[in-house]
Amino acid sequence: MLLFVLAGSLGPAHASYWSAGLAPLGSGNGVRCADGFACARINQEAFYGPDIIKGDCRYLYAFGQLAGASCDGWAGYFNGQPIFARPGFAGLTCEDGEVHTANGCEKKPPADKDRDCHCEGGNPVDMRSGRKVETVLDYATEGANPLKFERYYSSDTSYFGSPYAATRLGLGWRSNFDSRAYFVGGPPS
């Protein structure tokens, strides 16, 4: 009998790199790592030394997107309770063309204007990006100028402030009645 075993990581899918600051604070010294927890531990030991009591590590999320890693630590115990927190932190940095997601850094999906119907699979999923898209017509009147209510869905909610950020219809949904204004540029010169 021949067995094939596939092993995978239970952590974030991909991180361009993790980074952490090193002592002394404000020196500009830092380290880049492939693993967020390892980077947070390096940060922790750089500031507090190797003799601290090490606790658990966890990933940090902002707006549902993986942003960093944190490891607990303490200087000692008093009456059985840990005292003097000594945490370590690392930040996740995505490369150009990538976006923060709940799974780490992933290739930025193509914009809606670049949607190609020849690349869509069932229900429809854009096979280039893995993004699910859907259009639903809920209501329409008859006549020369019909009134209609149409919903649009995109699973591309990978960046805060996207046209598919949470609306009154829910995360990823918008309608033909939704509108949004964007400021592009800087202050007048």
Side-chain angles (χ1 to χ4, degrees), residues 53 73-86:
I53 299 165
W74 300 275
Y77 288 99
F78 180 75
N79 289 336
Q81 297 295 317
I83 57 171
F84 305 118
R86 302 291 189 248

Side-chain angles (χ1 to χ4, degrees), residues 138 149-152 167-169 173-179:
D138 288 316
F149 182 77
E150 199 167 19
R151 293 179 291 146
Y152 311 96
T167 67
R168 61 185 163 264
L169 299 175
W173 286 95
R174 64 182 178 141
S175 77
N176 56 320
F177 285 93
D178 287 326
S179 62

Side-chain angles (χ1 to χ4, degrees), residues 11-88:
H14 169 69
S16 288
Y17 64 90
W18 294 85
S19 59
L22 300 177
L25 194 59
S27 67
N29 294 333
V31 63
R32 280 187 175 190
C33 312
D35 175 74
F37 293 162
C39 219
R41 287 285 185 216
I42 291 169
N43 169 263
Q44 189 177 42
E45 289 185 9
F47 280 92
Y48 305 112
D51 297 329
I52 61 171
I53 299 165
K54 293 182 173 82
D56 293 333
C57 294
R58 71 187 127 316
Y59 290 110
L60 306 173
Y61 293 84
F63 301 107
Q65 300 163 3
L66 181 61
S70 170
C71 292
D72 294 334
W74 300 275
Y77 288 99
F78 180 75
N79 289 336
Q81 297 295 317
I83 57 171
F84 305 118
R86 302 291 189 248

